[in-house]
Amino acid sequence: MTKSTQNGMGLTTSQAKKLQEQFGKNELTPMKKESFFFKVLHIISEPMFLLLLAAAVIYFILGEPRDGAIMLIFVVGIISIDVIQEWKTDKTLNALKDLSAPHIKVIRDGNETVIASSDLVPGDFMLIYEGVKIPADGSVLKCNDLCVDESSLTGEAEGVWKISNENSESTDDYWKKDYCYAGTLVTQGTATILVDKIGSSTEYGKIGLNVVSAPDSPTPLQKQTSSLVKTCAIIAAALFILVAIITWFNIPDHKFGPRLIESILSGITLAMAMIPEEFPVVLTVFLSMGAWRLAKKHSLVRKLPSVETLGAVSVLCVDKTGTITMNQMTVQETWAYDGDQHRLCEVMGLGCETDAYDPMEKAMLSYCNTLGISNESLFGGRLISEYAFTNELKMMGHVWSRNGEIIIAAKGSPERILTICNLSNEEKQKIDNKILDLSKEGLRVIAVATMKLETESQVPEVITDCNMTFLGLIGLADPPRESVAKDISVCNKAGIRVVMITGDNGITASSIAKKIGMPHSDHIITGDMLNEMSDDELREAVKSVSIFSRVIPEHKMRIVKAFKENGEIVAMTGDGVNDAPALKFADIGIAMGKRGSEVSREAADLILLDDNFSTIVDTVHDGRRIYDNIRKAVGYIFSIHIPIAFASLLAPMLGIAPSELLLLPLHVVLLELLIDPTCSIVLERQPADDDIMDRKPRNPEEKMLTKSLLAKSIIQGLVMFVASFGTYLYMLKTTDNALIARSMGLVIIMISNLLLVQVNSSSSDFMIHSIRKLIKDKVMWCASIGTVLMLLVILYSPLHHFLKLAPLTGSQFLISLLIASISILWYELVKLINKIKK
Ligand code: ADP
Ligand code: MG
């Protein structure tokens, strides 16, 4: 051991760095990185690229190496776009992973700092406390009531009480009492651990438990899109053969070789036009970019598919304290039963932890201070023992030896404290009335009681065996967060039930619920009622009750289950160790970034960095926006492929010569160069509809591609097809110039593409409204101006020779623009009619 670790200063940063070089990272399986080569190989093996490559090869065989070369350049272009896209997605996802990776408190350079658990090295001093999942093996230097759940290693459910290595005697036991093991869980107390083994040298690493982590299973959306892609691919294959055969009969004058190759080429053009290879890209890009945007707004998504589930959330179960309220308590009222205010407050103070971290206890101690009762005078005596607070007991006590007497100071929920006090029924009645008064004001009511003893041996084993004197009540205020009332009304409109879950008293909860405008705030289910209810009864009850009071974390599981069985999509918050199962079970488990335990964070789908209810509502809003945009993109991909696919299908059927077709493979690729970024950049950035939170949650059963969306996309696509192909055909017949005809057709498709996105940006608001929202968005401007520039370059630069296009005259260009606008903007009329109807 080095000198600095001996005197409690911890490692220095440079020592830690050296040790990390020597021992590596504290990880069980080092992260594997896909090499650049494999990434490219992966992209090239997609059907789309195989087709592209086939087309290029055919050009070379045909003796048109120039065309083949251009194809290859395009292929490289598209591969670059895809590689950049994937690299960006990877980077985003890794950044998200780092943000939500486990962290641990250590002492480095003499200061307490938080580092990523993977950066722990042997020799580090790590500080552990309740809720921490221990990240490395090490011996216990100092500890305070440390209890660890080691069931993940030993299978033993009972918690193990640890001792510091000073006090330990050497034993032969394999699992040592003065040693903590990675992968186990602190259920109580605090300790300082000297890290000894990390990564795969830990006991946990040796078992190799974590190595076989479950592979990411595909999300519902992924399943839907992959079946969509498959269907399209099958149709494409069938049409490929059809078009190839038709072309074959179209060109009887060709020799066998070229005839065969031309036929295959037009088949390939169609197949390329039909494969919706953008679908999977859209999904990963939208979800990961969505998660990234959420992270910037204090909401960390741990599991990507949650982003899509978020939009469907219909029930939001939230903790009262800290999420709905600010968790900033102040003592508002004190009611001394015998009139002795000072004594009541003194005992209340004695009942608090000496180093209070609970906001309620802090409030109590600071109230004592204002009365002139200092912490020194309170905690000057000797703490004999403690009755720890548990969620089941909802009370706690301290046994002090002070000023020559032994005194027990207890505080907790009045229901429980009263059961250990010696009171007549009338006295109880009087107290109950006062409790009701205070609760109705929305105050958290705490009862205080005391007991004097002669000797230490008289101290009862458990708090429930005490026989105490009731001293009085304390009313604490914890004001609701400022924005909560507004958020609740947003949820009401959005068809999202807000359910309040609290360990507090029902009247208090109900009074706060009223203050913030929660519906159904009169009915309450208490933890005791919950224990009596069957699952069926609970399922009925949750239809009309939104407040659960005096619950323990174990109840949360049943509450989520009841809602889920009613067909709801449930989001639930939790912070404690015992909340983890419910968080896992909920559709969206939300852990608290500030006060949550590591275990709850690990079980959650979402981590709320600011513990704020508003952030949850914002996150749901964004979830809906992202899902909307995915649907818009799917509709777009459908529409835009129709004019391309139909043109490649119909032109050969009409007996048009292969060299005069509207779209040669070259042009299909050119359009792909436009469609890809439109999907992954432009559509991803679409702002939310104004009324997005006025709708009911999406039906989780509903398919992404609904009938109405499909119908709309097909009609829009067909109109674009008629406009572009009609113009092309007309020009071909009248001017007999295939290059001009093709150029006009292509201009129409490209300009339509630009307008289509804007028109479909909202299903109800006019295009101008959506454009106004994005007026300052530089990326949108780049994309639009880029399209127009690209058009001008391919038409009016020498490039048009290579691309088999011709420069259009001014009027030809304007006519194309006009036709493109009409073919898209008619949908604005549909919106207008819908608005008038409403
Ligand atoms: P919440 O769900 O509002 O966070 P908790 O589970 O923290 O509620 O607490 C539930 C009840 O337990 C409180 O209403 C109070 O009566 C009692 N309680 C909580 N903390 C303490 C404490 N430190 N000392 C005594 N009683 C407590
Ligand atoms: Mg609490």
Side-chain angles (χ1 to χ4, degrees):
M1 215 192 292
T2 58
K3 212 168 158 200
S4 59
T5 55
Q6 275 168 343
N7 60 25
M9 295 282 285
L11 300 172
T12 64
T13 310
S14 60
Q15 280 174 330
K17 211 167 155 195
K18 270 195 208 115
L19 285 164
Q20 187 161 61
E21 275 161 23
Q22 189 184 345
F23 292 97
K25 287 217 159 203
N26 179 28
E27 286 166 339
L28 290 184
T29 38
M31 286 231 285
K32 258 187 261 144
K33 263 202 144 170
E34 203 182 8
S35 74
F36 180 75
F37 175 72
F38 274 104
K39 232 173 228 163
V40 175
L41 202 67
H42 187 80
I43 292 174
I44 295 183
S45 63
E46 301 272 324
M48 181 68 186
F49 284 96
L50 295 179
L51 286 176
L52 275 172
L53 288 177
V57 168
I58 287 179
Y59 274 128
F60 280 114
I61 298 174
L62 267 179
E64 294 189 51
R66 200 179 71 181
D67 289 2
I70 294 176
M71 281 300 269
L72 282 182
I73 292 175
F74 281 159
V75 172
V76 171
I78 295 191
I79 290 181
S80 325
I81 292 183
D82 280 12
V83 170
I84 292 173
Q85 192 70 64
E86 261 192 41
W87 169 75
K88 216 175 119 193
T89 324
D90 276 3
K91 211 176 74 171
T92 312
L93 290 179
N94 283 335
L96 281 176
K97 255 191 209 135
D98 285 347
L99 281 176
S100 61
H103 285 76
I104 184 82
K105 249 191 211 163
V106 291
I107 299 180
R108 289 256 177 108
D109 304 313
N111 301 317
E112 259 185 53
T113 41
V114 176
I115 61 167
S117 301
S118 59
D119 287 333
L120 270 181
V121 291
D124 258 325
F125 284 180
M126 66 174 171
L127 309 175
I128 57 174
Y129 42 91
E130 185 184 320
V132 167
K133 190 163 170 192
I134 300 174
D137 288 2
S139 49
V140 183
L141 292 183
K142 256 192 296 188
C143 82
N144 194 348
D145 283 343
L146 183 68
C147 184
V148 180
D149 172 2
E150 297 189 337
S151 55
S152 59
L153 280 180
T154 60
E156 195 65 54
E158 191 97 348
V160 181
W161 293 94
K162 295 284 173 180
I163 46 176
S164 76
N165 52 7
E166 281 170 22
N167 306 342
S168 70
E169 302 132 29
S170 68
T171 56
D172 292 340
D173 290 346
Y174 189 76
W175 302 109
K176 286 177 273 188
K177 286 263 196 288
D178 58 348
Y179 199 83
C180 281
Y181 300 95
T184 61
L185 193 68
V186 183
T187 52
Q188 234 186 76
T190 56
T192 309
I193 307 288
L194 174 63
V195 176
D196 175 25
K197 298 213 168 77
I198 61 166
S200 46
S201 351
T202 60
E203 292 297 327
Y204 195 64
K206 280 192 224 154
I207 310 177
L209 276 177
N210 234 22
V211 183
V212 275
S213 62
D216 292 338
S217 55
T219 77
L221 265 187
Q222 276 170 342
K223 279 188 215 145
Q224 279 186 39
T225 43
S226 70
S227 78
L228 209 60
V229 170
K230 248 181 228 145
T231 316
C232 290
I234 292 171
I235 300 176
L239 292 180
F240 170 91
I241 296 171
L242 183 72
V243 168
I245 292 175
I246 292 172
T247 309
W248 174 265
F249 286 107
N250 271 348
I251 43 173
D253 50 335
H254 283 52
K255 280 210 202 88
F256 179 78
R259 192 176 175 186
L260 182 68
I261 287 178
E262 286 286 2
S263 309
I264 294 178
L265 202 57
S266 47
I268 287 183
T269 315
L270 176 80
M272 280 194 325
M274 281 215 48
I275 294 183
E277 89 286 357
E278 296 91 351
F279 279 147
V281 179
V282 160
L283 271 192
T284 42
V285 169
F286 282 35
L287 294 182
S288 59
M289 282 303 289
W292 181 242
R293 285 175 209 279
L294 283 172
K296 284 200 223 154
K297 297 199 223 163
H298 306 297
S299 168
L300 268 187
V301 175
R302 286 193 65 243
K303 293 165 193 156
L304 215 46
S306 311
V307 178
E308 79 185 65
T309 319
L310 270 170
V313 165
S314 59
V315 173
L316 206 54
C317 299
V318 287
D319 293 314
K320 172 176 78 71
T321 311
T323 309
I324 288 186
T325 67
M326 301 208 271
N327 207 10
Q328 282 167 10
M329 308 236 180
T330 42
V331 174
Q332 196 85 3
E333 280 202 50
T334 52
W335 182 69
Y337 188 61
D338 60 0
D340 189 348
Q341 202 79 356
H342 192 87
R343 172 137 173 268
L344 168 68
C345 293
E346 191 179 43
V347 173
M348 166 184 90
L350 285 173
C352 294
E353 299 295 336
T354 46
D355 51 346
Y357 63 93
D358 180 18
M360 183 175 84
E361 297 199 336
K362 278 189 183 158
M364 289 174 164
L365 290 178
S366 83
Y367 188 75
C368 285
N369 291 346
T370 59
L371 292 183
I373 309 172
S374 69
N375 286 13
E376 292 74 40
S377 70
L378 277 175
F379 305 131
R382 181 170 63 91
L383 185 63
I384 298 175
S385 68
E386 293 182 50
Y387 300 115
F389 178 84
T390 68
N391 285 308
E392 287 75 18
L393 282 173
K394 294 207 183 344
M395 58 183 172
M396 59 174 286
H398 283 164
V399 188
W400 284 96
S401 153
R402 103 193 249 278
N403 308 337
E405 56 182 9
I406 294 174
I407 166 173
I408 305 181
K411 67 182 197 323
S413 89
E415 296 102 302
R416 297 303 162 91
I417 290 286
L418 289 185
T419 59
I420 53 170
C421 288
N422 207 348
L423 293 164
S424 72
N425 281 341
E426 286 135 66
E427 288 170 320
K428 266 197 181 135
Q429 190 57 47
K430 194 173 152 206
I431 297 168
D432 278 341
N433 288 342
K434 186 66 191 174
I435 295 172
L436 196 63
D437 286 349
L438 291 175
S439 311
K440 276 190 183 152
E441 292 172 41
L443 298 178
R444 170 188 277 211
V445 187
I446 297 291
V448 178
T450 188
M451 183 174 171
K452 281 209 176 96
L453 297 167
E454 302 295 317
T455 62
E456 276 187 39
S457 57
Q458 290 173 334
V459 176
E461 194 73 11
V462 289
I463 192 170
T464 40
D465 286 347
C466 292
N467 189 356
M468 305 200 122
T469 315
F470 177 76
L471 285 183
L473 300 171
I474 314 288
L476 294 118
D478 178 17
R481 285 173 182 270
E482 238 165 71
S483 52
V484 159
K486 200 183 89 234
D487 295 322
I488 298 269
S489 86
V490 169
C491 288
N492 290 346
K493 266 200 220 142
I496 300 170
R497 273 268 298 281
V498 179
V499 174
M500 187 194 273
I501 296 184
T502 179
D504 213 338
N505 164 332
I507 312 281
T508 307
S510 151
S511 144
I512 289 180
K514 269 199 203 100
K515 268 192 211 157
I516 56 174
M518 264 179 66
H520 310 296
S521 54
D522 289 322
H523 304 291
I524 301 158
I525 293 181
T526 63
D528 291 338
M529 287 159 74
L530 207 79
N531 286 335
E532 301 289 309
M533 279 186 194
S534 71
D535 283 349
D536 288 334
E537 284 166 343
L538 182 62
R539 209 163 48 222
E540 271 313 301
V542 296
K543 287 182 182 161
S544 58
V545 181
S546 297
I547 299 177
F548 293 86
S549 69
R550 291 290 187 228
V551 296
I552 54 171
E554 286 73 8
H555 287 140
K556 284 189 169 180
M557 186 70 183
R558 285 191 63 199
I559 300 174
V560 181
K561 199 159 158 255
F563 276 115
K564 274 184 85 164
E565 281 169 0
N566 284 341
E568 311 279 4
I569 302 290
V570 186
M572 165 164 287
T573 64
D575 48 15
V577 176
N578 306 343
D579 290 337
L583 288 182
K584 261 205 186 118
F585 190 69
D587 296 289
I588 304 269
I590 307 174
M592 299 297 155
K594 279 195 182 155
R595 66 194 143 91
S597 59
E598 191 64 50
V599 186
S600 66
R601 276 196 283 265
E602 222 164 85
D605 304 287
L606 199 78
I607 301 175
L608 215 56
L609 294 180
D610 58 2
D611 298 11
N612 189 345
F613 184 69
S614 301
T615 310
I616 306 181
V617 180
D618 273 355
T619 306
V620 171
H621 172 277
D622 265 34
R624 288 187 174 192
R625 181 188 71 87
I626 293 164
Y627 193 84
D628 263 15
N629 283 351
I630 292 178
R631 291 191 52 194
K632 279 179 204 163
V634 169
Y636 162 81
I637 295 170
F638 239 85
S639 308
I640 198 69
H641 276 94
I642 288 179
I644 305 174
F646 271 54
S648 333
L649 180 67
L650 218 63
M653 286 188 176
L654 291 176
I656 295 169
S659 63
E660 298 194 335
L661 295 178
L662 169 55
L663 299 173
L664 302 175
L666 218 60
H667 306 113
V668 177
V669 182
L670 192 68
L671 288 172
E672 289 295 338
L673 274 177
L674 203 65
I675 295 174
D676 269 7
T678 308
C679 282
S680 54
I681 300 173
V682 180
L683 283 166
E684 198 276 323
R685 304 177 74 82
Q686 293 293 307
D689 275 358
D690 292 340
D691 66 347
I692 198 161
M693 290 303 263
D694 297 339
R695 301 180 216 149
K696 297 272 150 300
R698 139 175 80 87
N699 175 359
E701 304 285 313
E702 184 186 279
K703 284 264 163 54
M704 174 180 48
L705 195 62
T706 56
K707 281 202 188 91
S708 62
L709 177 63
L710 190 63
K712 176 180 155 187
S713 309
I714 289 181
I715 294 173
Q716 284 179 330
L718 284 177
V719 175
M720 269 191 287
F721 164 68
V722 171
S724 57
F725 198 72
T727 310
Y728 153 79
L729 216 55
Y730 176 81
M731 291 306 285
L732 192 64
K733 290 273 139 62
T734 52
T735 64
D736 203 25
N737 185 339
L739 297 189
I740 293 285
R742 176 184 296 143
S743 300
M744 284 182 76
L746 210 60
V747 170
I748 292 176
I749 297 182
M750 286 170 81
I751 297 292
S752 303
N753 178 68
L754 206 61
L755 295 174
L756 184 67
V757 174
Q758 302 305 332
V759 165
N760 285 345
S761 169
S762 162
S763 49
S764 54
D765 291 323
F766 295 122
M767 181 171 134
I768 193 79
H769 187 76
S770 322
I771 293 180
R772 217 180 285 144
K773 276 193 201 166
L774 286 169
I775 202 98
K776 287 203 182 114
D777 193 323
K778 288 193 197 92
V779 177
M780 295 295 275
W781 280 108
C782 288
S784 309
I785 294 173
T787 306
V788 178
L789 278 183
M790 175 170 157
L791 238 179
L792 294 178
V793 168
I794 60 173
L795 285 182
Y796 298 106
S797 78
L799 222 60
H800 70 252
H801 292 299
F802 299 99
L803 296 174
K804 301 186 197 297
L805 299 171
L808 298 177
T809 64
S811 56
Q812 282 169 337
F813 193 80
L814 285 180
I815 289 177
S816 308
L817 282 188
L818 191 69
I819 295 178
S821 308
I822 295 173
S823 77
I824 297 296
L825 296 183
W826 63 270
Y827 195 73
E828 293 287 285
L829 277 182
V830 176
K831 288 187 199 168
L832 183 69
I833 293 168
N834 280 341
K835 277 205 174 175
I836 293 170
K837 264 199 218 154
K838 262 188 191 163

